[in-house]
Amino acid sequence: MGEDNGDILSDEHAVEQAKEYLRQGDTVEFFEKIASYLLKVQPDYPVEFCLKFVEKKLSEQDAGVEAEAEEIKAANANRNDDSKYMKKHNVSDFLDKWILALIAEKCGAHESDITKANTERLQFHKRYLEKLVGK
């Protein structure tokens, strides 16, 4: 999990390989859900929120995550405009760095079993987020 991922997309071929990698398994859907939940809930601590989400997915308790996000959204009277929230918490930068770290690591890239590949990526997400929160 290197810190400097700037050179992994250094040319057009590398960009195409990264796109292909991200299309494997549930990677795109995973990040779409993360972004959606972040905007619905607007947690004060997005990294910790994402770690909790990943831990629930790993323990296969993710069925209640959507309902929980909706409940929090309904109870959150102080919700910001989505763009204000994104700027205040540097969400785009956070997600960009997370995705680049995943591309650099290429977890599950050589796994033919989609379920195993997705599990490898979830384990990467957990390690990455734990590192960010200092666990």
Side-chain angles (χ1 to χ4, degrees):
M1 283 189 293
E3 292 298 316
D4 182 21
N5 296 318
D7 62 343
I8 62 172
L9 302 177
S10 59
D11 60 38
E12 197 167 323
H13 179 70
V15 170
E16 289 305 315
Q17 284 183 317
K19 285 180 186 177
E20 185 60 35
Y21 170 70
L22 292 174
R23 288 183 191 112
Q24 296 173 2
D26 296 332
T27 304
V28 172
E29 294 82 0
F30 172 83
F31 281 105
E32 285 175 346
K33 280 185 181 179
I34 287 287
S36 172
Y37 292 157
L38 284 171
L39 290 177
K40 281 181 185 176
V41 176
Q42 296 190 357
D44 289 332
Y45 303 100
V47 177
E48 288 86 346
F49 176 84
C50 291
L51 178 57
K52 183 179 173 186
F53 174 81
V54 169
E55 288 171 339
K56 284 183 177 184
K57 288 209 54 88
L58 275 168
S59 65
E60 299 181 9
Q61 297 174 359
D62 61 325
V65 174
E66 175 103 27
E68 182 180 339
E70 288 297 329
E71 286 176 24
I72 294 169
K73 177 185 174 184
N76 190 353
N78 297 326
R79 272 185 94 242
N80 292 310
D81 172 272
D82 288 348
S83 62
K84 286 181 184 177
Y85 174 78
M86 296 283 288
K87 287 178 186 174
K88 178 180 177 183
H89 293 282
N90 298 315
V91 173
S92 293
D93 187 50
F94 162 60
L95 292 174
D96 288 347
K97 287 179 180 176
W98 186 359
I99 292 167
L100 285 172
L102 176 64
I103 292 168
E105 190 87 4
K106 287 201 172 35
C107 291
H110 304 291
E111 181 60 61
S112 60
D113 181 331
I114 295 297
T115 303
K116 286 182 181 177
N118 286 337
T119 300
E120 280 186 34
R121 283 189 278 278
L122 282 172
Q123 290 168 344
F124 163 80
H125 297 316
K126 183 177 183 211
R127 287 189 312 273
Y128 179 79
L129 294 167
E130 285 176 340
K131 183 178 175 187
L132 292 181
V133 299
K135 281 190 173 183

Coordinates of all heavy atoms in Angstrom, one line a residue, residues 71-106:
E71 N -32.0 5.9 7.7 CA -32.4 6.3 9.0 C -31.6 7.5 9.5 O -32.1 8.5 10.0 CB -32.3 5.2 10.0 CG -33.4 4.1 9.9 CD -33.1 3.0 10.9 OE1 -32.5 3.2 11.9 OE2 -33.6 1.9 10.6
I72 N -30.3 7.4 9.3 CA -29.4 8.5 9.7 C -29.7 9.7 8.9 O -29.7 10.8 9.4 CB -27.9 8.1 9.6 CG1 -27.6 6.9 10.5 CG2 -27.0 9.2 9.8 CD1 -26.3 6.3 10.3
K73 N -29.9 9.6 7.6 CA -30.2 10.7 6.7 C -31.5 11.4 7.2 O -31.5 12.7 7.3 CB -30.4 10.3 5.3 CG -30.8 11.4 4.3 CD -31.1 10.8 3.0 CE -31.6 11.9 2.0 NZ -32.0 11.4 0.7
A74 N -32.5 10.7 7.5 CA -33.8 11.2 8.0 C -33.6 12.0 9.3 O -34.2 13.0 9.6 CB -34.8 10.2 8.1
A75 N -32.7 11.4 10.2 CA -32.5 12.0 11.5 C -31.5 13.2 11.5 O -31.5 14.0 12.4 CB -32.0 11.0 12.5
N76 N -30.8 13.3 10.4 CA -29.7 14.4 10.3 C -30.3 15.7 9.8 O -30.3 16.0 8.6 CB -28.6 13.9 9.4 CG -27.4 14.8 9.5 OD1 -27.4 15.8 10.1 ND2 -26.3 14.4 8.8
A77 N -30.8 16.5 10.7 CA -31.4 17.8 10.4 C -30.4 18.8 9.9 O -30.7 19.7 9.3 CB -32.2 18.3 11.6
N78 N -29.1 18.5 10.2 CA -28.1 19.5 9.9 C -27.3 19.1 8.6 O -26.2 19.5 8.4 CB -27.1 19.6 11.0 CG -27.7 20.2 12.3 OD1 -28.6 21.0 12.2 ND2 -27.2 19.7 13.4
R79 N -28.0 18.4 7.7 CA -27.3 18.0 6.5 C -26.9 19.2 5.7 O -27.6 20.2 5.6 CB -28.3 17.1 5.6 CG -28.2 15.7 5.9 CD -29.1 14.9 5.0 NE -28.3 14.4 3.9 CZ -28.4 14.8 2.6 NH1 -29.4 15.6 2.2 NH2 -27.7 14.3 1.7
N80 N -25.7 19.1 5.2 CA -25.2 20.2 4.3 C -25.7 19.9 2.9 O -26.0 18.8 2.5 CB -23.7 20.2 4.3 CG -23.1 20.7 5.6 OD1 -23.5 21.7 6.2 ND2 -22.2 19.9 6.2
D81 N -25.5 20.9 2.1 CA -25.6 20.8 0.6 C -24.5 19.8 0.3 O -23.4 19.8 0.8 CB -25.4 22.1 0.0 CG -25.3 22.0 -1.5 OD1 -24.1 21.8 -2.0 OD2 -26.3 22.2 -2.2
D82 N -24.8 18.8 -0.7 CA -23.8 17.8 -1.0 C -22.5 18.4 -1.4 O -21.4 17.8 -0.9 CB -24.4 16.9 -2.1 CG -25.5 16.0 -1.7 OD1 -25.7 15.9 -0.5 OD2 -26.2 15.4 -2.6
S83 N -22.4 19.4 -2.2 CA -21.1 19.9 -2.6 C -20.4 20.6 -1.4 O -19.2 20.5 -1.3 CB -21.3 21.0 -3.7 OG -22.1 22.1 -3.3
K84 N -21.1 21.2 -0.5 CA -20.5 21.7 0.7 C -19.9 20.6 1.6 O -18.7 20.7 2.1 CB -21.5 22.6 1.6 CG -21.8 23.9 1.0 CD -22.8 24.6 1.9 CE -23.2 25.9 1.2 NZ -24.2 26.6 2.1
Y85 N -20.6 19.5 1.7 CA -20.1 18.4 2.5 C -18.9 17.8 1.8 O -17.9 17.6 2.5 CB -21.2 17.3 2.6 CG -20.6 16.1 3.3 CD1 -20.5 16.0 4.7 CD2 -20.2 15.0 2.6 CE1 -20.0 14.9 5.3 CE2 -19.7 13.9 3.2 CZ -19.6 13.8 4.5 OH -19.0 12.7 5.2
M86 N -18.9 17.6 0.5 CA -17.8 17.1 -0.2 C -16.5 17.9 0.0 O -15.4 17.4 0.2 CB -18.1 17.0 -1.7 CG -19.2 16.1 -2.1 SD -18.8 14.3 -2.1 CE -17.8 14.2 -3.5
K87 N -16.7 19.3 -0.1 CA -15.5 20.1 0.1 C -15.0 20.2 1.5 O -13.8 20.1 1.7 CB -15.9 21.6 -0.4 CG -16.0 21.7 -1.9 CD -16.5 23.1 -2.2 CE -16.7 23.2 -3.7 NZ -17.3 24.5 -4.1
K88 N -16.0 20.3 2.4 CA -15.6 20.4 3.9 C -14.8 19.1 4.3 O -13.8 19.3 5.1 CB -16.9 20.5 4.7 CG -16.6 20.6 6.2 CD -17.9 20.7 7.0 CE -17.6 20.7 8.5 NZ -18.8 20.7 9.3
H89 N -15.2 18.0 3.8 CA -14.5 16.7 4.3 C -13.6 16.1 3.2 O -13.1 15.0 3.4 CB -15.6 15.7 4.7 CG -16.4 16.1 5.9 ND1 -15.9 16.0 7.1 CD2 -17.6 16.7 6.0 CE1 -16.8 16.4 8.0 NE2 -17.8 16.9 7.3
N90 N -13.2 16.9 2.2 CA -12.3 16.4 1.1 C -12.7 15.0 0.6 O -11.8 14.2 0.4 CB -10.9 16.5 1.7 CG -10.4 17.8 2.0 OD1 -10.7 18.8 1.3 ND2 -9.8 18.0 3.2
V91 N -14.0 14.8 0.4 CA -14.4 13.5 0.0 C -13.8 13.0 -1.3 O -13.4 11.9 -1.5 CB -16.0 13.4 0.0 CG1 -16.5 12.1 -0.5 CG2 -16.5 13.6 1.5
S92 N -13.8 13.9 -2.3 CA -13.3 13.5 -3.6 C -11.8 13.1 -3.5 O -11.4 12.1 -4.1 CB -13.5 14.7 -4.6 OG -14.8 14.9 -4.9
D93 N -11.0 13.9 -2.8 CA -9.6 13.6 -2.6 C -9.5 12.2 -1.9 O -8.6 11.4 -2.3 CB -8.9 14.7 -1.9 CG -7.4 14.5 -1.8 OD1 -6.8 14.3 -2.9 OD2 -6.9 14.6 -0.7
F94 N -10.2 12.0 -0.9 CA -10.2 10.8 -0.1 C -10.5 9.6 -1.0 O -9.8 8.6 -1.0 CB -11.2 10.9 1.1 CG -11.6 9.6 1.7 CD1 -10.7 8.7 2.3 CD2 -12.9 9.2 1.7 CE1 -11.1 7.5 2.8 CE2 -13.3 8.0 2.2 CZ -12.4 7.2 2.8
L95 N -11.6 9.7 -1.8 CA -12.0 8.6 -2.7 C -11.0 8.4 -3.8 O -10.6 7.2 -4.1 CB -13.4 8.8 -3.3 CG -14.6 8.8 -2.3 CD1 -15.9 9.2 -3.0 CD2 -14.7 7.4 -1.7
D96 N -10.4 9.5 -4.3 CA -9.4 9.4 -5.4 C -8.2 8.6 -4.9 O -7.7 7.7 -5.6 CB -9.0 10.7 -5.9 CG -10.0 11.5 -6.7 OD1 -11.0 10.8 -7.1 OD2 -9.8 12.7 -7.0
K97 N -7.7 9.0 -3.7 CA -6.5 8.3 -3.2 C -6.8 6.9 -2.8 O -5.9 6.0 -3.1 CB -6.0 9.1 -1.9 CG -5.4 10.4 -2.2 CD -4.9 11.1 -1.0 CE -4.3 12.4 -1.3 NZ -4.0 13.2 -0.2
W98 N -8.0 6.6 -2.4 CA -8.4 5.2 -2.0 C -8.4 4.4 -3.3 O -7.9 3.2 -3.3 CB -9.7 5.3 -1.4 CG -10.3 4.0 -0.8 CD1 -9.7 2.7 -0.9 CD2 -11.5 3.8 -0.2 NE1 -10.6 1.8 -0.2 CE2 -11.7 2.5 0.2 CE3 -12.5 4.7 0.2 CZ2 -12.8 2.0 0.9 CZ3 -13.7 4.2 0.9 CH2 -13.8 2.9 1.2
I99 N -9.0 4.9 -4.4 CA -9.1 4.1 -5.6 C -7.7 3.9 -6.2 O -7.4 2.8 -6.7 CB -10.0 4.8 -6.6 CG1 -11.5 4.7 -6.1 CG2 -9.9 4.2 -8.0 CD1 -12.5 5.6 -6.8
L100 N -6.9 5.0 -6.2 CA -5.5 4.8 -6.7 C -4.7 3.8 -5.9 O -3.9 3.0 -6.5 CB -4.8 6.2 -6.7 CG -5.2 7.2 -7.8 CD1 -4.6 8.5 -7.5 CD2 -4.9 6.7 -9.1
A101 N -4.9 3.8 -4.6 CA -4.2 2.8 -3.8 C -4.7 1.3 -4.2 O -3.9 0.4 -4.2 CB -4.5 3.0 -2.3
L102 N -6.0 1.2 -4.4 CA -6.5 -0.1 -4.9 C -5.9 -0.5 -6.2 O -5.5 -1.6 -6.4 CB -8.0 0.0 -4.9 CG -8.7 -1.3 -5.5 CD1 -8.5 -2.5 -4.5 CD2 -10.2 -1.1 -5.7
I103 N -5.8 0.4 -7.1 CA -5.3 0.1 -8.4 C -3.8 -0.3 -8.3 O -3.3 -1.2 -8.9 CB -5.4 1.4 -9.4 CG1 -6.9 1.6 -9.7 CG2 -4.6 1.2 -10.6 CD1 -7.2 2.9 -10.4
A104 N -3.1 0.4 -7.4 CA -1.7 0.1 -7.2 C -1.5 -1.3 -6.6 O -0.6 -2.0 -7.0 CB -1.0 1.2 -6.3
E105 N -2.4 -1.6 -5.7 CA -2.3 -2.9 -5.0 C -2.8 -4.1 -5.9 O -2.4 -5.2 -5.8 CB -3.1 -2.8 -3.7 CG -3.0 -4.0 -2.8 CD -1.8 -3.9 -1.9 OE1 -1.1 -2.8 -1.9 OE2 -1.5 -4.8 -1.2
K106 N -3.8 -3.8 -6.7 CA -4.4 -4.8 -7.6 C -4.9 -6.0 -6.9 O -4.7 -7.1 -7.4 CB -3.5 -5.1 -8.8 CG -3.4 -4.0 -9.8 CD -2.9 -4.6 -11.1 CE -2.9 -3.7 -12.3 NZ -2.7 -2.3 -12.2

